[in-house]
Every structure is written in C-alpha cells, then in structure tokens.
C-alpha cells in the first residue's frame, strides 16, 4: 500500500481498489517508442506506390529479409468503380520482398506471392503478410480477398511455403482460415452494419495472421472483425483469436477460448520464456498495452504504453528470454504519406527506468 501511495485503509476509491488488485508493479515490460525514420534504397517513399504492412524481419546468410504488401495507384473507395478501381490502399496488392545488410538500405528483390487467377479465393488481393521459419522451411501467411470487393466481402487467410526465403513459393489452393459462418446479414444492401445476428467475434473477417511454433504445435494468431461491428467505450469492436494446428500447413482449428483479447488491431506477438507476449494497439478498452499469456491463450496486461507504431514488423533476431521487450528495440512499420500512398519506415524504442529533471544524473 505504501508503494501505491494508499495510506488510509478505511477510504478506498474505485481506482485504489483496482490498483490493489494489480498482481505486480514492475518496469521490465515498460518502454517508449522514439518515432519513425525513413529507409533508404528501394524502400524509400515512392510516389504512386503503396508499400505497407511489413512482416517480421528474418536474418539469413547475413542479410535481413522482409515481406510486404505492394500496390500502385490511388484509392477510390467504395464510391468508385469497384470492379476496376482500388477501394483501399491494400486492395489489388501482391506480396513482395526486400533484403538489407544493415536494416537501413534495402533492395527490392521482386514479387514473392501474386494474386490468384480470376475466380480463385485470392484473385483480388493478397496482403498483410507474416513470415515463419521452421525446420529449414519458410511459411508466409497473409490475408486474401476475392472479387468483387464490397463492404460485405469476407476476407480469408492463405498460406505459401518455400525451401528458401528467396522462394519459389508454393501456394495452398484453399484458405487455412475463414470467418465464422454464424452471422446473418439484414437485407441485401451493401451495408456491413445491418445485421440480424452478429455471430462470433470473427464472423465478418479474419485479418493480420501470424503463425508461431509453440509447445510442439503451430499457433495462428489473427484479428477478427464481427458482422455489424459497433463503436463502444473503447472504440471499434476488434478482438484477437488463435487457431492451432499440428502441422504448419494446417488444418488450423480455432480455439474454443476465442476471443483471446477484447481489444487490439494488427497482430504483434512474440515468444518469451514459456509464454507469448502481445502488443495490443488502436482499438478496444485495453488498447495501448502489452499483454502476456503463460499458456499462449490467457493474456493479462503487463504494461501500458503509448504511441506504438502501426503494423509492426518485429526483428525476430532480437528475441530474448532475458529481456521481454528486447525484440522491440527496432523493427519496421508503415506510415501514411498521404491518403493514397504508404511507405515502410524504421522504428526504435527506449527503456525508461527513472523520470529525472534536466541536469540530474543518477547512478544505477
């Protein structure tokens, strides 16, 4: 109680009661982000080109690898020609990749995974990609959209694998994860807020996949969007789920404990000791927190943070069981250069252990 500044047990506010329930007050999970710095080479901002949603970084043969969504041209929205225009910056994307020796200057190596042929489940766009290296093979999981791209379209998750980070990549011919099918739209108008039954937390879309090898299985973390999504006291109703497989290629079975978060946006997860950590941002009542689950499913808040980068591409080479947030020292993110185009940037962070006035120095 002394640590919390609570000195009178007879008068406890609601805030004090909540504070007394905190399991631990430490700072090993606390950090602040420094902001963004532009990249050099082929990943520098290029007018007319969208590069966004960088994957985690892998280091292979002395080079960093990153995969990302790439498209060209402006965004027209749903008011344009849906069949021919772009409705979002991530519409009409393919997955590309780039390499770097220092993490600053990048060489765009080419396309890794293209959109599918017309009529396939991924014929409109493949985007928001993540990479997993396991047992000498490489796996890319990503979002897919099938034409036409309207407001009620149901995104799915696809997967491709290769023997080398340079490919060639073999795509599975079916998605590895789809939205729940227990929601019911109201009427036929293209209105995603009109529902008779909302269904599961992921009844509309499954987004932002990330597969992590964990406890002898493969945990596919993802963002769910619900049909008839609402705005609540935490903002948008966005939650995360997990699907588990015995094999990297699936089949993936959704956990009965879903949703495993009540907040969040893009998936940003990493292993720490025997559990999984998650950076929760943007949406929901627990946004702007780091959470940790000793079992990969039951997450609790371990830090409150601010100004986290969007769509973080973690530097997996920094993973440490000694420091839970070492992996956040630096990595990649994206920014909106304007309403039409985005570029990939570099972020960094710093640990803060004391708050000092200017000119004051303290020896640790």
């Amino acid at each position: 109680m002394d640590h919390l500044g609570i000195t009178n047990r007879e008068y406890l506010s609601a805030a004090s009661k909540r504070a007394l329930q905190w399991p631990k007050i430490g700072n090993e999970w606390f950090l602040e982000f420094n902001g963004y710095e532009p990249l050099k080479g082929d990943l520098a901002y290029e007018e007319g080109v969208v590069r966004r949603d960088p994957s985690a970084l892998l280091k292979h043969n002395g080079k960093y690898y990153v995969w990302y969504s790439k498209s060209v041209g402006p965004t027209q929205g749903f008011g344009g020609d849906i069949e021919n225009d772009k409705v979002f910056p991530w519409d009409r994307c393919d997955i590309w990749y780039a390499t770097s020796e220092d993490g600053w200057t990048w060489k765009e190596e080419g396309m890794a995974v293209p959109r599918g042929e017309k009529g396939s489940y991924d014929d409109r766009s493949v985007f928001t990609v993540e990479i997993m290296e396991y047992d000498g093979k490489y796996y890319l999981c990503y979002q897919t959209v099938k034409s036409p791209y309207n407001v009620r379209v149901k995104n799915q998750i696809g997967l491709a694998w290769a023997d080398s980070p340079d490919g060639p990549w073999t795509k599975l011919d079916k998605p590895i994860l789809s939205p729940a099918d227990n929601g019911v739209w109201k009427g036929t108008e293209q209105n995603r807020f009109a529902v008779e039954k909302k269904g599961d937390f992921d009844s509309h879309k499954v987004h932002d996949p990330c597969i992590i090898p964990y406890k002898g299985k493969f945990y596919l973390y993802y963002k769910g969007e619900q049909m008839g999504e609402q705005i609540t006291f935490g903002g948008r109703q966005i939650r995360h789920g997990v699907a588990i497989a015995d094999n990297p290629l699936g089949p993936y079975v959704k956990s009965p404990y879903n949703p495993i978060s009540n907040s969040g946006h893009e998936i940003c997860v990493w292993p720490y000791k025997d559990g999984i950590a998650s950076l929760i941002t943007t949406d929901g009542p627990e946004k702007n927190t780091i959470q940790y689950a000793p079992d990969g499913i039951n997450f609790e808040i371990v830090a409150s943070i601010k100004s986290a980068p969007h769509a973080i591409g973690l530097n997996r080479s920094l993973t440490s069981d000694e420091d839970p947030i070492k992996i956040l020292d630096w990595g990649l993110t994206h920014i909106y250069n304007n309403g039409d185009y985005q570029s990939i940037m570099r972020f960094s962070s710093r640990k803060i252990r004391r708050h000092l006035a200017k000119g004051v120095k303290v020896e640790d």
Side-chain angles (χ1 to χ4, degrees):
M1 293 184 68
D2 182 63
H3 188 50
L4 292 168
I6 300 171
T7 57
N8 191 332
R9 294 175 181 270
E10 295 184 14
Y11 298 93
L12 295 176
S13 67
S16 293
K17 292 176 182 178
R18 290 197 302 271
L20 288 169
Q21 293 174 358
W22 292 339
K24 180 184 177 183
I25 299 176
N27 61 19
E28 66 272 19
W29 290 91
F30 183 71
L31 78 161
E32 289 189 357
F33 291 97
N34 296 323
Y36 312 135
E37 296 180 86
L39 300 177
K40 301 175 183 178
D42 293 336
L43 294 194
Y45 172 61
E46 182 179 358
E47 184 73 16
V49 178
V50 171
R51 292 185 180 91
R52 55 176 291 135
D53 296 304
S55 73
L57 281 71
L58 291 186
K59 201 165 188 181
H60 179 75
N61 290 338
K63 291 191 297 186
Y64 292 105
Y65 281 73
V66 67
W67 292 259
Y68 48 91
S69 312
K70 182 180 179 182
S71 67
V72 296
T75 297
Q76 303 299 331
F78 289 106
D81 182 350
I82 290 177
E83 189 58 37
N84 297 297
D85 294 338
K86 286 172 61 178
V87 300
F88 288 117
W90 53 88
D91 188 13
R92 303 192 185 280
C93 279
D94 300 293
I95 295 168
W96 286 59
Y97 80 111
T99 61
S100 173
E101 294 183 357
D102 61 3
W104 289 102
T105 302
W106 292 83
K107 177 185 177 185
E108 191 164 66
E109 301 287 358
M111 187 185 300
V113 178
R115 286 164 277 178
E117 296 180 357
K118 190 169 180 60
S120 61
Y121 77 97
D122 59 351
D123 67 355
R124 180 68 181 237
S125 193
V126 290
F127 57 109
T128 314
V129 61
E130 258 297 355
I131 182 71
M132 177 183 71
E133 180 181 7
Y134 181 77
D135 198 22
K137 294 187 183 296
Y138 300 83
Y139 300 87
L140 292 174
C141 58
Y142 45 86
Q143 289 175 226
T144 70
V145 174
K146 178 180 172 62
S147 287
Y149 202 152
N150 55 50
V151 298
R152 286 186 172 182
V153 72
K154 291 201 169 189
N155 292 19
Q156 296 176 294
I157 292 173
L159 186 141
W161 65 272
D163 292 321
S164 163
D166 293 296
W169 297 91
T170 300
K171 288 202 296 184
L172 298 185
D173 59 4
K174 295 180 180 179
I176 60 170
L177 201 72
S178 299
D181 60 1
N182 56 359
V184 180
W185 295 115
K186 183 177 182 179
T188 59
E189 178 188 357
Q190 283 299 320
N191 179 351
R192 72 187 185 97
F193 304 110
V195 294
E196 294 182 7
K197 180 183 178 183
K198 296 184 69 172
D200 289 353
F201 83 103
D202 59 353
S203 59
H204 189 180
K205 297 180 181 181
V206 287
H207 275 209
D208 295 89
C210 179
I211 303 173
I212 291 184
Y214 184 58
K215 293 187 176 180
K217 296 184 182 294
F218 299 90
Y219 279 52
L220 167 57
Y221 292 93
Y222 66 98
K223 179 181 80 176
E225 287 193 25
Q226 189 178 34
M227 291 168 55
E229 174 195 305
Q230 294 176 292
I231 299 293
T232 70
F233 71 101
R236 291 179 62 188
Q237 285 185 310
I238 301 292
R239 287 150 289 196
H240 295 168
V242 65
I244 302 170
D246 294 324
N247 186 292
L249 301 181
Y252 285 88
V253 178
K254 295 178 182 178
S255 170
Y257 292 97
N258 285 348
I260 57 170
S261 80
N262 59 37
S263 306
H265 204 79
E266 298 101 345
I267 296 292
C268 178
V269 290
W270 65 96
Y272 175 65
K273 293 186 175 179
D274 293 328
I276 300 292
S278 177
L279 175 61
I280 300 289
T281 67
T282 309
D283 297 302
E286 293 182 1
K287 60 191 170 188
N288 303 323
T289 62
I290 296 177
Q291 303 193 9
Y292 182 70
D295 60 359
I297 290 177
N298 292 289
F299 286 86
E300 298 286 351
I301 295 172
V302 291
S304 177
I305 52 93
K306 63 180 180 181
S307 304
H310 293 289
I312 280 181
L314 292 170
N315 183 353
R316 297 279 181 203
S317 67
L318 296 177
T319 301
S320 169
D321 271 352
E322 303 302 320
D323 181 349
I325 54 174
K326 177 68 176 176
I327 198 170
L328 295 172
D329 277 1
W330 73 270
L332 299 183
T333 180
H334 71 232
I335 65 164
Y336 279 73
N337 301 91
N338 52 54
D340 289 318
Y341 305 116
Q342 295 92 60
S343 63
I344 297 174
M345 304 280 279
R346 178 163 162 153
F347 75 84
S348 62
S349 69
R350 64 189 184 278
K351 298 177 178 65
I352 297 179
R353 299 295 179 249
R354 289 187 175 91
H355 182 67
L356 300 175
K358 184 177 181 179
V360 175
K361 296 182 180 180
V362 176
E363 295 291 337
D364 285 329

